[in-house]
Amino acid sequence: NSLNLLAGLALTSGRLGESQRLRFESSAANRARGAAISPLVDAVDVAWTDAWFRAQPERAVRRLDSALAATPLKTLSVDTRGDFRIAGVYAIAGRPDKARAVIAGFDADVRDTTVRRSFEPARHGALAEIAIAEHRARDAINEVRLSDQLPDGPADACGPCYYANLGRAFDLA
């Protein structure tokens, strides 16, 4: 957790290389302790940084395409796949078509309704990114709101994250 917090601080301070190094260290530490961690997590994090901070969406898409070719989502357990994070990064990188394909793959592969229900907030987060990429402000606002809803309260403890995404959707409007 400390490495992830330090990586986040480095990222918000514009030290992208340091942030990436710390995230890689965090992933390695989690793997070493036997945590269930996706082999795609590092590539997805770097692709997100490429798309969002470096404004290099084509590079982000190439990185995701390459990672998914090497490790297809179908080969991973559902709790380590990261479908909706990947879909969100594709959308941020300007490829909502690829984002929709990832979501469709999840829908085809994951049939257990309890599991699907647990991923609903993340699904709505990805759909919000798709709506933003497609300039559909009303849909984006609705999807951002749904991305932070569980039957018993908020889905995420990161209030600033929610409000930043909601602000992006309202800016689009």
Side-chain angles (χ1 to χ4, degrees), residues 144 147 156-168:
V144 169
S147 76
D156 193 341
C158 183
C161 301
Y162 168 77
Y163 290 117
N165 287 334
L166 190 59
R168 289 175 49 228

Side-chain angles (χ1 to χ4, degrees), residues 112-159:
D112 185 308
T113 57
T114 302
V115 172
R116 290 173 63 94
R117 206 171 14 255
S118 72
F119 282 100
E120 275 305 295
R123 170 193 218 71
H124 288 294
L127 292 172
E129 293 298 348
I130 291 169
I132 290 170
E134 295 175 342
H135 306 287
R136 294 182 291 110
R138 171 56 60 198
D139 292 337
I141 291 165
N142 291 336
E143 293 295 348
V144 169
R145 287 181 171 147
L146 290 170
S147 76
D148 194 40
Q149 291 182 13
L150 288 174
D152 60 349
D156 193 341
C158 183

Side-chain angles (χ1 to χ4, degrees), residues 24-81:
F24 288 171
E25 281 184 44
S26 175
S27 295
N30 281 325
R31 283 187 189 92
R33 71 179 179 81
I37 187 165
S38 173
L40 299 171
V41 70
D42 292 336
V44 174
D45 281 346
V46 175
W48 177 75
T49 302
D50 285 344
W52 187 259
F53 287 96
R54 292 189 175 106
Q56 296 180 354
E58 297 86 8
R59 187 163 120 181
V61 170
R62 283 193 308 272
R63 189 179 306 276
L64 288 177
D65 288 347
S66 176
L68 291 172
T71 308
L73 290 174
K74 288 181 181 230
T75 66
L76 302 174
S77 64
V78 71
D79 60 326
T80 63
R81 287 171 53 140

Side-chain angles (χ1 to χ4, degrees), residues 94-114:
R95 292 301 305 268
D97 58 319
K98 288 184 176 269
R100 287 185 190 286
V102 171
I103 293 171
F106 178 89
D107 291 344
D109 296 343
V110 180
R111 308 307 293 164
D112 185 308
T113 57
T114 302

